[in-house]
């Protein structure tokens, strides 16, 4: 596709339910990132995938959060037993390679509201 | 732990005014990027600076990377309503790279 695609754009769920957020990166981009953003704030790193290497999961806030990337393309972020503090915009980004001099291309985000 | 602190957090100015946004850290970065984000959208890259002391200009925007590569600034001349948005700095640590660490953000509003 032309850009990074995320779905759903909005998700309202009840506390305790599981949610899945999907990211379809730009074709050919080997790196994929998930960030979380609270209203008007900076971005909090969650997880990073680079090619076939083991993902960098150092930003995942708890074991309720997990992510996978199938076939080096589409990624799914799963939040189990959601809590109200999980409410945020979840942003996915992809890049051609290292971020040292490269550019991250972001999707429009998935806004999660936990009631 | 927030490694990149931005100031000010909020800024509301009139059209035509100048402003500077600061991005500071105690850590050294191999490169630093500035993004702008508008409501309902993802951040979009404005510039990347990689050399200590580097200055880059993008129309009315001037970006500077500190000599020690620990800080950066964004200066906007004669701000316009179209400059309104959330400005984010982001640093990369280098060495093959993985994640970008984003700053706390500066929300800019330019009014007529």
């Amino acid at each position: 596709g032309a850009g990074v695609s995320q779905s759903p754009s909005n998700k309202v769920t009840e506390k305790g339910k599981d949610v899945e957020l999907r990211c379809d990166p730009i074709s050919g981009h080997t790196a994929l990132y998930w960030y979380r953003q609270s209203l008007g704030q900076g971005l909090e790193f969650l997880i990073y995938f680079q090619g076939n290497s083991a993902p960098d999961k150092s930003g995942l806030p708890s074991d309720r959060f997990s992510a996978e990337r199938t076939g080096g393309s589409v990624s799914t972020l799963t939040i189990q037993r959601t809590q109200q503090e999980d409410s945020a915009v979840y942003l996915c980004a992809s890049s051609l390679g290292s971020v040292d001099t490269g550019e991250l291309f972001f999707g429009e985000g998935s806004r999660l509201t936990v009631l | 732990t927030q490694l990149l602190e931005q100031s000010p957090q909020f800024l509301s100015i009139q059209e035509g005014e100048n402003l500077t946004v600061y991005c500071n850290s105690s850590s050294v970065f191999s490169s630093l990027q500035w993004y702008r984000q508008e409501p309902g959208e993802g951040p979009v890259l404005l510039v990347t600076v990689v050399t200590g002391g580097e200055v880059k200009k993008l129309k009315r925007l001037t970006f500077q990377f500190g000599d020690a590569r620990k800080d950066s600034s964004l200066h906007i001349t004669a701000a316009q309503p179209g400059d309104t948005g959330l400005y984010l700095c982001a640093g990369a640590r280098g060495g093959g790279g993985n994640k970008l660490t984003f700053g706390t953000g500066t929300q800019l509003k330019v009014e007529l």
Side-chain angles (χ1 to χ4, degrees):
Chain A
V4 177
S5 178
Q6 291 189 245
S7 61
S9 55
N10 279 286
K11 177 71 175 179
V12 180
T13 190
E14 294 179 348
K15 177 181 173 181
K17 296 288 179 91
D18 297 351
V19 297
E20 285 190 352
L21 308 176
R22 175 189 168 102
C23 173
D24 197 347
I26 293 173
S27 178
H29 281 193
T30 58
L32 186 147
Y33 307 77
W34 283 98
Y35 287 87
R36 179 168 70 174
Q37 184 176 35
S38 299
L39 187 62
Q41 301 296 309
L43 276 62
E44 175 190 5
F45 169 77
L46 297 177
I47 189 169
Y48 159 78
F49 297 89
Q50 174 63 61
N52 295 321
S53 301
D56 178 351
K57 304 180 181 180
S58 61
L60 294 178
S62 77
D63 58 9
R64 295 186 295 104
F65 289 72
S66 63
E68 62 178 19
R69 188 178 185 191
T70 54
S73 181
V74 172
S75 177
T76 302
L77 177 67
T78 301
I79 309 173
Q80 296 179 310
R81 304 180 303 282
T82 52
Q83 304 294 313
Q84 289 182 334
E85 61 262 29
D86 299 335
S87 296
V89 175
Y90 290 81
L91 289 162
C92 175
S94 69
S95 68
L96 274 174
S98 165
V99 297
D100 286 347
T101 56
E103 175 179 359
L104 260 59
F105 293 85
F106 283 86
E108 295 186 343
S110 292
R111 179 177 297 277
L112 174 65
T113 303
V114 182
L115 302 176
Chain B
T1 301
Q2 188 57 259
L3 296 178
L4 281 166
E5 295 288 340
Q6 289 184 234
S7 61
Q9 186 177 0
F10 299 99
L11 192 55
S12 182
I13 61 172
Q14 298 296 118
E15 183 180 18
E17 292 185 16
N18 301 331
L19 67 116
T20 302
V21 177
Y22 298 94
C23 173
N24 294 297
S25 174
S26 57
S27 302
V28 176
F29 293 96
S30 62
S31 66
L32 197 136
Q33 300 179 353
W34 284 92
Y35 289 79
R36 182 170 68 204
Q37 184 181 22
E38 300 189 21
E41 300 182 5
V44 176
L45 180 69
L46 295 174
V47 78
T48 301
V49 285
V50 297
T51 305
E54 181 177 3
V55 176
K56 278 192 174 179
K57 291 193 175 184
L58 184 66
K59 296 183 180 179
R60 294 176 293 100
L61 278 61
T62 300
F63 304 85
Q64 185 165 9
F65 201 10
D67 291 341
R69 291 185 286 125
K70 292 182 178 181
D71 55 83
S72 181
S73 64
L74 157 60
H75 183 78
I76 301 179
T77 304
Q80 300 177 358
D83 297 327
T84 294
L86 179 67
Y87 288 81
L88 296 157
C89 63
R93 290 296 188 86
N98 44 31
K99 60 180 183 277
L100 273 181
T101 299
F102 278 82
T104 48
T106 295
Q107 185 67 56
L108 171 65
K109 183 176 182 180
V110 182
E111 298 181 286
L112 292 170

